[in-house]
Structure formats: C-alpha cells, structure tokens
Amino acid sequence: MNDFKKLGLSNAVLKSINEHGFENPSAIQEKSIPLILAGEDVIAGSATGSGKTLAFASGILQNSEKGKGIQALILTPTRELAEQVANSFRDFSKYDPLKIVSIYGGVGINPQIKALQSAEVVVGTPGRLLDHISRNTIRFNNVKTLVLDEADHMFDLGFKVDVEKIIKKCPQNRQTLLFSATISKDVVQLSRKHMENPVRVSVESYIDPQKLNQVVYKVQDDMKLSLLVHLLKNEKSNLGMVFCNTKRNTDKVAKNLRKVGVNALAIHGGLTQNKRTHIMEEFHSGNISVLVCTDVAGRGLDIQGVSHVYNYDIPRESKQYIHRIGRTARAGAEGKAINILSKNDHANFMSVLKDNDVNIKEHALPALKKIVIEKPGRRLPKPVNKMKTPSRKGQQYTRHRNR
Ligand code: AMP
C-alpha cells in the first residue's frame, strides 16, 4: 500500500485501492502514474490485465470536479470495454464520486443524451460519440484529459478516421494518454499528430511465461470438437474462453458443446447489445463456464478467473494470438493456452511462431471419443467410438525475438 502512496495518489483513490485489496502497483501503474499525475502526455505499451485502467483513472479522478462538465473522455474500441472501464472508474471514484457515463451504439440514444447533461467523465466508442457530436448533445470544451484505450484495436476495427474527428473536437491544451498493447505504425503516426512530447513507457511483457503454459495438439479437422470436449471435461479448469475465427464457428461450437453437456455460450459482434451484456453477466457470475468468442468480442474483456484459453481456430493474424492468450495468467494467476491445430490452421500457426516470442509444447493426442458435429436440418448418426493414434509427444516450439 505504501508503494501506491509514493506514486502520489489522492487519499480517496488510495482508500478504494485498499478496499480492492491491491497490494502493490502493477508495472504499468508504477511507470505511468507519476507521469500522468505530472500532466505529461503518455504512450503506454500495455494491454488489458496490466492494470492500465487505474493508471489512466488516477489522474482523471484527481483533476476532475463535480459540476464542471465533461472533463475526461476515454475512447474504447468496443461496447464491452466501455462498460468495463466505466465500472472501474465508478469503483475507483467511490470516495469522491463523479458522474461517469458510458456511450455506445446498439442501445437507445435518449437516456444517453439525458445522462450526458450532468456527466464529468465519458467513456465511449467512436461511432456513437460521433452521433452525439453531430446532434450537438455532447460538448468537449471542458475536456482536460483524453484517453485512447486499446488504440491498436481501435485502428484494427477501422476507427482511425472517427478517432481523429473526435480528437479534433477536444481542446488543444488537453492531456492525451494513449494505451495500446502493440505500438503500431498507426499508433506512432497518431501520436505524432495529436500528442505533445509524449513520454513512452512500456512493460516488458504482459504475459508471465512462468505462469502461462502454452500447448498444442495436432488433430484431424473432424476431430477438433471431440478434442475440445475431451479437454474441457478433463482439464482442471475454472473459466474457459474458446476462440474461433468466424461468428459462424462460434455459434456452431457453442451449440455442439451444449449438446454434450458443456455449459457454453457464444459471443460475437452479430448479437444485439442486450444479448451480449446478458452473456457477459452470465459468464461473470459463473453461470456459464465456457465462453466461445471471436477476436473482436473477446479482446479487451477483463474477466477474472479465466484459467484456460482454447484456440479452436488458430488466429489469422499472428498478433491476435498474444491478445487471446492474454485473457489468462493475469494478476499473478496461473493459466493455460491450448492450441487445437488441424491441417487448415498450419499456415496461421507458422505465422504465430514466426512473429511472436512464444514457447508452445506439443502434447500427444489423447484417446478421443468421436463427437459428430450436428449440422442444421440433419439427423445425427449414432455416436461411434474412435480411438486416434497418439502423435509425436514432447516437441517444443520456441521462438525468442531479440528485445
Ligand atoms: P486492467 O488492465 O485495467 O483491465 O486491469 C486488470 C485487472 O487487474 C482488473 O480487474 C483490476 O481490478 C486489477 N488490478 C488493477 N491494478 C491492480 C494491482 N495493482 N494489483 C492487483 N490487481 C490489480
């Protein structure tokens, strides 16, 4: 706790940190909070799970006053992240409350217009914020701090132009804080254009290799689901996230998992906001134990207690691998990332190995009971037992990048 005091945080924030039971500042908090409190523009290389929300909240909570309009704007790539960040802000401001409003599409605009009239901190996604700007229902002239949260993800989703439009609506003499898991060319370009002598801080890696066990199983395409079911039923797991590359696959996998008694739900961008919120509540409360998701839905979500990440499909973009496995082994907990590799995933897996600093061990395929994937409109044939020949064991894929 003393280490938090040394960073210069206010008593109100320290009290809520104490209540959360955080013992020491995380690496990114230690490095960025003193700079943020000193009013510097900061580019922070860190991802969800690193404690970045408290880092950018610290300055905003200390510099904002009740009744003085919107003094902080936080841009997030997804609705879920906006909700998550807004909720964290509410927690951290418990002893010096501010009105924190989250703004995103897929829900009614009128309640947002009303809430914005008394907001001091706004957390939102670019599309709906632009909608409010065009309706003149949001004013940024009192904004002192602008945060771009998960900037790389925002650019991946094609929000670059929208983000710039919003930045231009904020006062020039503001503080700008940019948080991003990867510092891409777009991130650097944006910082050159819109930040004042930014100080760059980063934490070595947000994955603790000691705590994260990465494995790969090689399997025939038609046995992927059988392997997943076997692992879900045999691994000592708490909560699991299963990543697929398409919405269609997430629905198919979740449906077939439920058929064999695994408590799973799919989440992806094709669902309504209400449905997505409901699914997240079910997962947070532990009512469902497996979340099957696409990268867009899964990234940035702060879900406590994810012990296993399964790559049912190996991601097409190798950097997504890092985002996916970052859902587990967080805040000092142990985690396991399991790659289910069939012939179709081979090229993607090679890119993951080439582009990332990862250590993935090959495990022998266990004896599997074949599960027939149900296709809509077809009767299921009777299940058959199919034992697969175990593959080579103990092969290890390691690649270290020069740091
Ligand atoms: P974030 O990176 O902001 O999404 O934070 C990830 C999780 O870590 C959240 O659940 C926070 O409540 C938690 N957290 C933030 N700071 C600390 C800390 N210093 N010690 C332990 N947990 C923390």
Side-chain angles (χ1 to χ4, degrees), residues 4 22 24-26 29 47-53 302 304 330:
F4 275 113
F22 299 167
N24 297 302
S26 68
Q29 289 164 358
T48 297
S50 58
K52 67 186 167 65
T53 314
D302 175 34
Q304 306 284 329
R330 295 163 66 163

Side-chain angles (χ1 to χ4, degrees), residues 5 15 27 35 42 91 103 117 124 131-132 146 176 221 235 243 260 263 324 345 348 362 372 394 399:
K5 264 191 201 148
K15 215 166 149 189
L35 296 165
V42 176
D91 276 355
I103 297 291
Q117 286 163 4
D131 200 351
H132 281 283
L146 169 69
T176 308
D221 200 47
E235 288 278 330
F243 282 91
V260 293
N263 210 359
R324 289 182 181 186
D345 296 293
N348 291 346
E362 184 176 350
V372 178
R399 173 157 168 97

Side-chain angles (χ1 to χ4, degrees), residues 120-191:
E120 277 109 20
V121 175
V122 169
V123 189
T125 53
R128 182 56 70 89
L129 283 168
L130 280 175
D131 200 351
H132 281 283
I133 290 172
S134 68
R135 288 163 187 253
N136 223 358
T137 47
I138 198 163
R139 294 179 69 79
F140 294 139
N141 45 328
N142 291 327
V143 166
K144 291 190 265 187
T145 309
L146 169 69
V147 181
L148 307 174
D149 193 10
E150 297 205 354
D152 53 348
H153 192 191
M154 269 193 292
F155 297 152
D156 287 348
L157 293 177
F159 287 138
K160 189 166 179 229
V161 174
D162 289 354
V163 167
E164 292 212 80
K165 278 188 195 156
I166 296 169
I167 295 177
K168 286 183 188 144
K169 294 283 171 191
C170 294
Q172 286 222 323
N173 62 345
R174 62 172 193 269
Q175 178 184 36
T176 308
L177 307 173
L178 186 153
F179 286 75
S180 194
T182 47
I183 307 296
S184 61
K185 215 167 77 198
D186 279 340
V187 167
V188 173
Q189 265 173 8
L190 183 120
S191 68

Side-chain angles (χ1 to χ4, degrees), residues 15-144:
K15 215 166 149 189
S16 95
I17 290 176
N18 200 19
E19 251 174 38
H20 275 79
F22 299 167
E23 285 172 12
N24 297 302
S26 68
I28 199 69
Q29 289 164 358
E30 206 156 14
K31 286 187 178 176
S32 67
I33 289 177
L35 296 165
I36 292 171
L37 293 180
E40 302 281 356
D41 279 6
V42 176
I43 300 175
S46 74
T48 297
S50 58
K52 67 186 167 65
T53 314
L54 174 60
F56 60 75
S58 65
I60 293 172
L61 296 175
Q62 240 142 289
N63 296 329
S64 305
E65 287 174 64
K66 272 220 93 63
K68 297 253 167 105
I70 301 168
Q71 294 149 76
L73 172 64
I74 297 111
L75 294 183
T76 67
T78 62
R79 304 154 184 185
E80 280 82 8
L81 186 61
E83 269 302 325
Q84 188 176 297
V85 168
N87 285 332
S88 298
F89 258 82
R90 288 184 193 112
D91 276 355
F92 295 133
S93 69
K94 183 173 167 193
Y95 293 102
D96 201 354
L98 292 168
K99 172 93 179 269
I100 292 135
V101 174
S102 48
I103 297 291
Y104 46 77
V107 294
I109 199 161
N110 289 331
Q112 294 181 348
I113 294 175
K114 192 156 181 276
L116 281 171
Q117 286 163 4
S118 52
E120 277 109 20
V121 175
V122 169
V123 189
T125 53
R128 182 56 70 89
L129 283 168
L130 280 175
D131 200 351
H132 281 283
I133 290 172
S134 68
R135 288 163 187 253
N136 223 358
T137 47
I138 198 163
R139 294 179 69 79
F140 294 139
N141 45 328
N142 291 327
V143 166
K144 291 190 265 187

Side-chain angles (χ1 to χ4, degrees), residues 213-250:
N213 181 7
Q214 299 173 71
V215 305
V216 59
Y217 290 92
K218 287 186 180 166
V219 67
Q220 259 174 246
D221 200 47
D222 64 346
M223 292 302 284
K224 271 185 153 187
L225 187 77
S226 313
L227 175 62
L228 179 64
V229 169
H230 174 93
L231 295 170
L232 287 170
K233 292 193 168 172
N234 289 284
E235 288 278 330
K236 282 194 182 67
S237 94
N238 188 8
L239 294 177
M241 289 177 89
V242 176
F243 282 91
C244 299
N245 287 356
T246 60
K247 292 175 197 169
R248 196 161 171 266
N249 244 7
T250 56

Side-chain angles (χ1 to χ4, degrees), residues 217-220 223 227 362-369 386-393:
Y217 290 92
K218 287 186 180 166
V219 67
Q220 259 174 246
M223 292 302 284
L227 175 62
E362 184 176 350
H363 278 202
L365 201 61
L368 297 174
K369 184 175 165 206
K386 186 168 175 184
M387 308 294 275
K388 304 297 290 184
T389 329
S391 68
R392 272 177 305 150
K393 193 182 167 185

